[in-house]
Protein backbone atom coordinates (compact mmCIF):
# COMPACT_ATOMS: atom_id res chain seq x y z
CA UNK A 1 0.00 0.00 0.00
CA UNK A 2 1.42 3.42 -0.98
CA UNK A 3 1.99 6.12 1.56
CA UNK A 4 1.04 9.76 1.32
CA UNK A 5 3.93 11.96 0.33
CA UNK A 6 4.51 14.97 2.55
CA UNK A 7 6.45 17.76 0.82
CA UNK A 8 8.18 18.87 4.03
CA UNK A 9 11.08 16.35 3.97
CA UNK A 10 12.13 17.33 0.45
CA UNK A 11 13.71 20.80 0.36
CA UNK A 12 12.99 21.27 -3.37
CA UNK A 13 9.28 20.55 -2.94
CA UNK A 14 9.18 22.83 0.08
CA UNK A 15 10.85 25.63 -1.90
CA UNK A 16 8.40 25.20 -4.79
CA UNK A 17 5.41 25.36 -2.45
CA UNK A 18 6.83 28.34 -0.54
CA UNK A 19 7.57 30.26 -3.74
CA UNK A 20 3.93 29.96 -4.73
CA UNK A 21 2.52 30.79 -1.31
CA UNK A 22 1.92 34.50 -1.93
CA UNK A 23 0.50 34.19 -5.45
CA UNK A 24 -3.16 34.99 -5.99
CA UNK A 25 -5.30 31.84 -6.24
CA UNK A 26 -7.49 32.93 -9.17
CA UNK A 27 -6.73 31.24 -12.45
CA UNK A 28 -3.45 29.67 -13.41
CA UNK A 29 -0.12 31.20 -12.42
CA UNK A 30 1.48 33.13 -15.32
CA UNK A 31 4.33 30.63 -15.77
CA UNK A 32 4.86 31.70 -19.38
CA UNK A 33 6.07 35.09 -18.08
CA UNK A 34 8.51 33.67 -15.54
CA UNK A 35 12.14 33.17 -16.52
CA UNK A 36 13.85 31.61 -13.49
CA UNK A 37 17.07 29.60 -13.64
CA UNK A 38 16.86 25.87 -14.27
CA UNK A 39 17.95 24.07 -11.10
CA UNK A 40 18.13 20.50 -12.41
CA UNK A 41 15.75 17.56 -12.29
CA UNK A 42 13.91 16.25 -9.24
CA UNK A 43 12.42 12.82 -8.67
CA UNK A 44 8.84 13.59 -9.66
CA UNK A 45 7.22 11.41 -12.30
CA UNK A 46 3.80 11.58 -13.91
CA UNK A 47 2.89 7.99 -14.78
CA UNK A 48 1.02 7.09 -17.96
CA UNK A 49 -2.18 6.73 -15.92
CA UNK A 50 -1.82 10.33 -14.63
CA UNK A 51 -0.63 9.40 -11.13
CA UNK A 52 2.05 11.70 -9.75
CA UNK A 53 4.96 10.06 -7.93
CA UNK A 54 7.71 11.50 -5.76
CA UNK A 55 10.74 9.37 -4.86
CA UNK A 56 8.89 6.30 -6.18
CA UNK A 57 5.72 6.75 -4.07
CA UNK A 58 2.38 8.10 -5.29
CA UNK A 59 1.55 11.62 -4.17
CA UNK A 60 -1.85 11.12 -2.56
CA UNK A 61 -2.59 14.75 -1.63
CA UNK A 62 -4.86 16.04 -4.42
CA UNK A 63 -4.26 19.68 -3.47
CA UNK A 64 -0.51 19.24 -3.87
CA UNK A 65 -0.90 17.50 -7.25
CA UNK A 66 -3.24 20.26 -8.47
CA UNK A 67 -0.82 22.93 -7.25
CA UNK A 68 2.08 21.34 -9.10
CA UNK A 69 -0.07 20.75 -12.21
CA UNK A 70 -0.83 24.48 -12.28
CA UNK A 71 2.88 25.33 -12.57
CA UNK A 72 3.81 22.82 -15.26
CA UNK A 73 5.44 24.17 -18.38
CA UNK A 74 6.81 22.51 -21.48
CA UNK A 75 10.11 24.06 -22.54
CA UNK A 76 11.16 24.59 -26.18
CA UNK A 77 13.68 21.75 -25.79
CA UNK A 78 10.83 19.34 -24.91
CA UNK A 79 11.62 19.16 -21.20
CA UNK A 80 8.69 19.42 -18.77
CA UNK A 81 9.36 21.57 -15.72
CA UNK A 82 7.70 22.81 -12.58
CA UNK A 83 8.31 26.55 -12.57
CA UNK A 84 8.03 29.30 -9.97
CA UNK A 85 9.19 32.91 -10.14
CA UNK A 86 12.55 31.87 -8.61
CA UNK A 87 13.40 28.41 -10.04
CA UNK A 88 12.42 25.68 -12.45
CA UNK A 89 13.02 21.97 -11.98
CA UNK A 90 12.67 19.13 -14.47
CA UNK A 91 10.30 16.23 -13.97
CA UNK A 92 9.59 13.01 -15.88
CA UNK A 93 6.37 12.56 -17.85
CA UNK A 94 5.82 9.01 -19.07
CA UNK A 95 3.14 9.82 -21.65
CA UNK A 96 1.06 12.97 -21.13
CA UNK A 97 0.98 15.53 -18.34
CA UNK A 98 -2.76 15.02 -17.79
CA UNK A 99 -5.53 12.49 -18.37
CA UNK A 100 -8.91 13.50 -19.82
CA UNK A 101 -11.37 11.65 -17.58
CA UNK A 102 -14.78 13.11 -18.42
CA UNK A 103 -16.36 14.38 -21.64
CA UNK A 104 -19.47 16.41 -22.48
CA UNK A 105 -20.90 16.54 -26.00
CA UNK A 106 -23.23 19.25 -27.24
CA UNK A 107 -24.58 19.44 -30.79
CA UNK A 108 -23.72 17.47 -33.92
CA UNK A 109 -21.55 17.71 -37.02
CA UNK A 110 -19.69 20.95 -37.64
CA UNK A 111 -21.58 22.62 -34.75
CA UNK A 112 -20.53 20.01 -32.19
CA UNK A 113 -18.87 21.17 -28.99
CA UNK A 114 -16.76 18.80 -26.92
CA UNK A 115 -15.54 19.63 -23.45
CA UNK A 116 -13.29 17.60 -21.18
CA UNK A 117 -12.38 17.52 -17.52
CA UNK A 118 -8.88 16.37 -16.68
CA UNK A 119 -7.66 14.39 -13.68
CA UNK A 120 -6.57 17.70 -12.09
CA UNK A 121 -9.93 19.38 -12.81
CA UNK A 122 -8.91 21.51 -15.78
CA UNK A 123 -11.96 22.17 -17.96
CA UNK A 124 -11.06 22.31 -21.65
CA UNK A 125 -13.31 22.86 -24.67
CA UNK A 126 -11.99 21.48 -27.94
CA UNK A 127 -11.26 24.19 -30.51
CA UNK A 128 -8.43 25.19 -32.85
CA UNK A 129 -6.15 26.05 -29.89
CA UNK A 130 -7.20 23.03 -27.82
CA UNK A 131 -7.07 20.43 -30.55
CA UNK A 132 -7.45 16.69 -30.51
CA UNK A 133 -4.69 14.58 -32.00
CA UNK A 134 -4.74 10.84 -32.52
CA UNK A 135 -1.79 8.45 -32.41
CA UNK A 136 -1.37 4.71 -32.59
CA UNK A 137 -0.10 3.09 -29.40
CA UNK A 138 2.56 0.37 -29.34
CA UNK A 139 -0.23 -2.23 -29.15
CA UNK A 140 -1.94 -0.73 -32.22
CA UNK A 141 -4.70 0.87 -30.13
CA UNK A 142 -5.89 4.39 -30.88
CA UNK A 143 -4.58 7.00 -28.41
CA UNK A 144 -6.31 10.39 -28.53
CA UNK A 145 -4.75 13.43 -26.88
CA UNK A 146 -6.22 16.83 -26.03
CA UNK A 147 -4.09 19.98 -25.95
CA UNK A 148 -4.70 21.51 -22.51
CA UNK A 149 -2.28 24.45 -22.30
CA UNK A 150 1.32 25.58 -22.88
CA UNK A 151 2.22 22.56 -25.03
CA UNK A 152 0.89 20.15 -22.39
CA UNK A 153 -1.47 17.38 -23.45
CA UNK A 154 -4.01 15.08 -21.80
CA UNK A 155 -4.32 11.45 -22.79
CA UNK A 156 -7.99 10.62 -23.29
CA UNK A 157 -9.06 7.54 -21.30
CA UNK A 158 -9.85 4.32 -23.16
CA UNK A 159 -13.56 4.56 -22.28
CA UNK A 160 -13.75 8.10 -23.71
CA UNK A 161 -11.80 6.96 -26.77
CA UNK A 162 -14.69 4.64 -27.64
CA UNK A 163 -17.09 7.57 -27.22
CA UNK A 164 -14.96 9.70 -29.58
CA UNK A 165 -14.83 6.94 -32.20
CA UNK A 166 -18.65 6.73 -32.05
CA UNK A 167 -18.71 10.41 -33.13
CA UNK A 168 -16.36 9.84 -36.08
CA UNK A 169 -17.34 10.35 -39.69
CA UNK A 170 -15.63 10.22 -43.05
CA UNK A 171 -14.68 13.45 -44.83
CA UNK A 172 -12.38 14.52 -47.66
CA UNK A 173 -9.28 16.35 -46.44
CA UNK A 174 -6.96 17.65 -49.16
CA UNK A 175 -8.71 15.34 -51.63
CA UNK A 176 -8.24 12.20 -49.50
CA UNK A 177 -10.88 10.44 -47.38
CA UNK A 178 -10.20 10.67 -43.64
CA UNK A 179 -11.99 9.41 -40.58
CA UNK A 180 -12.31 12.17 -38.01
CA UNK A 181 -14.72 14.20 -35.95
CA UNK A 182 -16.01 17.72 -35.73
CA UNK A 183 -15.46 19.69 -32.54
CA UNK A 184 -15.15 23.42 -31.92
CA UNK A 185 -15.57 24.28 -35.61
CA UNK A 186 -12.59 22.11 -36.64
CA UNK A 187 -12.47 18.65 -38.21
CA UNK A 188 -9.97 16.64 -36.14
CA UNK A 189 -8.52 13.85 -38.26
CA UNK A 190 -8.17 10.37 -36.77
CA UNK A 191 -6.79 8.27 -39.64
CA UNK A 192 -6.88 8.06 -43.42
CA UNK A 193 -9.57 5.77 -44.78
CA UNK A 194 -8.01 2.72 -46.42
CA UNK A 195 -8.95 2.09 -50.02
CA UNK A 196 -11.40 -0.80 -50.38
Amino acid sequence: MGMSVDPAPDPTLSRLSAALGDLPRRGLPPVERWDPPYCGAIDIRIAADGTWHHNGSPIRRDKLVKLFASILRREPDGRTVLVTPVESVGITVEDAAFVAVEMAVDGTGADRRLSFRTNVDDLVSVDAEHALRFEEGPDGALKPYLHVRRGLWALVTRALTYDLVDLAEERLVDGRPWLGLWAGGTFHTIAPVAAA
Side-chain angles (χ1 to χ4, degrees), residues 15 26 32 39 41 47 76 84 86 88 90 95 99-100 105 117-118 129 132-133 143 178 191 193:
R15 282 196 319 271
R26 289 195 177 144
E32 63 281 349
C39 298
T84 73
V86 296
S88 75
D95 189 348
V99 177
V105 181
R117 182 180 63 83
T118 71
E129 183 181 337
L132 287 168
R133 81 175 202 277
K143 291 177 68 173
W178 279 80
V193 176

Side-chain angles (χ1 to χ4, degrees), residues 16-159:
L16 288 170
S17 295
L20 295 169
D22 295 333
L23 290 174
R25 295 290 181 218
R26 289 195 177 144
L28 292 168
V31 299
E32 63 281 349
R33 295 197 310 252
W34 298 339
D35 190 25
Y38 179 69
C39 298
I42 62 172
D43 189 7
I44 289 184
R45 173 178 59 90
I46 303 174
D49 68 359
T51 304
W52 286 60
H53 296 265
H54 178 250
N55 289 333
S57 296
I59 300 175
R60 302 222 182 264
R61 295 173 60 197
D62 287 343
K63 283 182 130 181
L64 186 62
V65 169
K66 288 176 183 180
L67 171 69
F68 289 157
S70 75
I71 59 168
L72 275 177
R73 183 170 76 190
R74 184 146 174 105
E75 301 290 49
D77 64 6
R79 181 175 54 215
T80 302
V81 297
L82 297 172
V83 62
T84 73
V86 296
E87 70 179 313
S88 75
V89 292
I91 67 167
T92 301
V93 178
E94 286 183 358
D95 189 348
F98 311 109
V99 177
V101 296
E102 192 175 346
M103 179 175 76
V105 181
D106 182 40
T108 60
D111 295 326
R112 180 183 297 120
R113 290 188 317 236
L114 288 179
S115 299
F116 290 88
R117 182 180 63 83
T118 71
N119 60 318
V120 293
D121 292 335
D122 284 310
L123 301 176
V124 182
S125 293
V126 177
D127 57 23
E129 183 181 337
H130 301 96
L132 287 168
R133 81 175 202 277
F134 296 84
E135 295 182 5
E136 185 177 318
D139 59 356
L142 183 66
K143 291 177 68 173
Y145 294 87
L146 168 69
H147 182 245
V148 176
R149 64 176 177 271
R150 305 188 281 251
L152 300 169
W153 294 79
L155 174 65
V156 177
T157 64
R158 176 124 359 203

